[in-house]
Amino acid sequence: MRATVMYEAGDVRVEDVPDAKILEPTDALIRATRACICGSDLHPYHQMERSETGTRMGHEAVGVVEDVGSQVTKIKKGDLVVMPFAYSDGTCEFCREGLPTSCVHVGFFGNPGYDGAQAEAVRVPYADGTLFALPVDEDDALMPSLLTLSDVMGTGHHAAVAAKVGPGKSVAVVGDGAVGLCGVIAAKRLGAEQIIIMGRHADRIALAKEFGATDVVSERGEEAVERVRGLTGGFGVHSVLECVGYAQAMETAIGIARPGGAVGRVGVPQDETIPASLPAFFGNVTVGGGPAPVRAYIEELLPDVLEGRIEPGRVLDRTVGLDGVPDGYQAMDDREAIKVMVRP
Ligand SMILES: [Zn+2]
C-alpha cells in the first residue's frame, strides 16, 4: 500500500510500504477515505533529525472498516468511522472519566512505531474504544466537517472547555490556525459574548469572523496585551484559548487573562516551562489544557455538525490526493493553505 513517510526535516515522501493488517484481536483495519495534514505535522517538518526508517505521518482520518479482530464487538466491517488522533481502550478509568488521551493503553498515530493516517489504510488498535461509527456514507457533503472531529474541532473545543468558556463571557483566541479557528466556533457554541481572534492572516481572520469572532487583534507581544485590555474595559478576558504552543503565545495568553480568568492550552508546548508564572499567580489565573480527549467529545459535537449548526470543515481549504501530500506540507508551511485534506 501507499503511505506517507517523513525521513527528516523537509523530506516527506509517499511510498510503497507493507500492507496494514490486523495484528491483535482488538484491532480494526480501515481504508482511509479522508485524512489531513495537521499544523503539528509541521514541527517534524521543521525539526526532524535524519531517520533511516522514517516515521509514518498523519493522525486524523475518516475511513471504512475493512476487517476487525476476533475481540472487536461494536465496530463492524463496512462501518464508516472517525479515527481520533489517539487510540484508547474505552474501558479503563481514564477513558470512563472522559480523558481517553490518558488511557492506560494510549498510543498516538503518526508517531515512530505507529501507522499514520496519510495512507491508503491504517491498523487501529483498540478499535471498539477508539473508533466512532458515523451515520452517513463516505461521500457525504459534510465529510470535511466530520473529519475535523478526529482532531482540530475537538481540540478547539477542549481549549474552550479548559478556558472555562460559558454564556456571556469574553474570550480571546491566540492563534489563527485550524485549531484556533475551531476554537472560535467552540467559544461561540458555548455562548461567549465577545470573541477576540488574535492573528494576522487576512483569509483566516475573515473565516474567524464568519465563525463568530467579534474583534481582531493583529499586534503581538505587549502591544497585543494592551489592545485586548483596551477592548475589555482594561481588565482582559475571562477565557483565553492558547492554540500555538510557543512561549510568546503563552506569555500573551496570561497577559490578557483577567484576574480569576483561565487559559486553555492545546498548542503543543515547545518549552519545558510555562512562562509568566508570576502574573498567572498574582492574577489567580488558571492554566489548564493538554492533548484534547477528542474521542470523548465526538458524541457532543456530532449533532451540531450533522444539523449544520457548526461548519468546522471550512478550515480545510485545499484538497490533495495521496501523491500531493508533500506539496500539501509545503503549502501549509508557506501559509498558502490553512489545512489540507487528503483523499487517499
Ligand atoms: Zn482507557
Side-chain angles (χ1 to χ4, degrees), residues 16-303:
D16 289 314
V17 302
D19 285 347
K21 57 175 196 279
I22 303 281
L23 297 178
E24 301 289 338
T26 47
D27 287 352
L29 179 70
I30 66 167
R31 169 173 59 85
T33 54
R34 297 286 195 290
C36 312
I37 304 173
C38 187
S40 64
D41 293 335
L42 296 180
H43 292 310
Y45 192 67
H46 292 146
Q47 301 162 0
M48 182 177 167
E49 294 190 11
R50 174 101 206 134
S51 153
E52 288 308 315
T53 51
T55 298
R56 298 282 187 86
M57 298 302 295
H59 52 257
E60 304 154 273
V62 168
V64 175
V65 176
E66 298 273 278
D67 197 5
V68 295
S70 60
Q71 288 175 24
V72 176
T73 58
K74 295 183 201 148
I75 293 296
K76 305 266 186 293
K77 200 171 158 178
D79 281 352
L80 180 75
V81 291
V82 180
M83 186 198 89
F85 64 82
Y87 64 75
S88 52
D89 60 20
T91 56
C92 79
E93 67 180 275
F94 294 104
C95 284
R96 291 198 311 270
E97 288 171 7
L99 196 60
T101 38
S102 291
C103 176
V104 298
H105 292 118
V106 75
F108 295 86
F109 295 103
N111 275 287
Y114 300 106
D115 275 6
Q118 293 156 12
E120 287 177 321
V122 189
R123 176 179 82 91
V124 180
Y126 298 99
D128 277 340
T130 305
L131 297 173
F132 190 103
L134 293 169
V136 297
D137 66 48
E138 71 178 82
D139 288 315
D140 194 280
L142 293 171
M143 202 46 64
S145 287
L146 294 165
L147 180 58
T148 66
L149 298 177
S150 66
D151 186 347
V152 288
M153 184 60 223
T155 297
H157 177 68
H158 187 55
V161 170
K164 305 180 184 177
V165 174
K169 289 207 179 171
S170 55
V171 176
V173 178
V174 180
D176 60 4
V179 171
L181 293 168
C182 288
V184 173
I185 295 174
K188 167 112 176 154
R189 184 181 167 278
L190 292 171
E193 188 172 296
Q194 183 181 28
I195 304 172
I196 303 167
I197 180 76
M198 304 185 68
R200 44 178 57 189
H201 300 90
D203 54 335
R204 299 171 184 213
I205 297 299
L207 192 51
K209 285 181 174 167
E210 290 186 44
F211 285 159
T214 55
D215 301 275
V216 179
V217 168
S218 296
E219 289 84 352
R220 283 189 178 165
E222 262 312 302
E223 282 175 55
V225 172
E226 287 310 311
R227 280 267 290 129
V228 172
R229 288 189 182 157
L231 289 166
T232 52
F235 295 128
V237 293
H238 296 102
S239 303
V240 187
L241 283 55
E242 199 283 279
C243 306
V244 178
Y246 291 118
Q248 197 202 21
M250 180 52 87
E251 240 167 74
T252 300
I254 290 171
I256 61 179
R258 64 188 267 143
V263 176
R265 57 185 189 142
V266 292
V268 181
Q270 301 298 303
D271 301 278
E272 288 289 322
T273 55
I274 299 178
S277 153
L278 281 177
F281 177 84
F282 285 105
N284 266 288
V285 173
T286 302
V287 177
V294 300
R295 176 63 180 79
Y297 291 141
I298 295 176
E299 240 158 69
E300 177 181 346
L301 298 171
L302 182 63

Side-chain angles (χ1 to χ4, degrees), residues 316-327:
L316 291 155
D317 59 346
R318 184 172 298 202
T319 303
V320 297
L322 204 47
D323 289 331
V325 166
D327 290 340

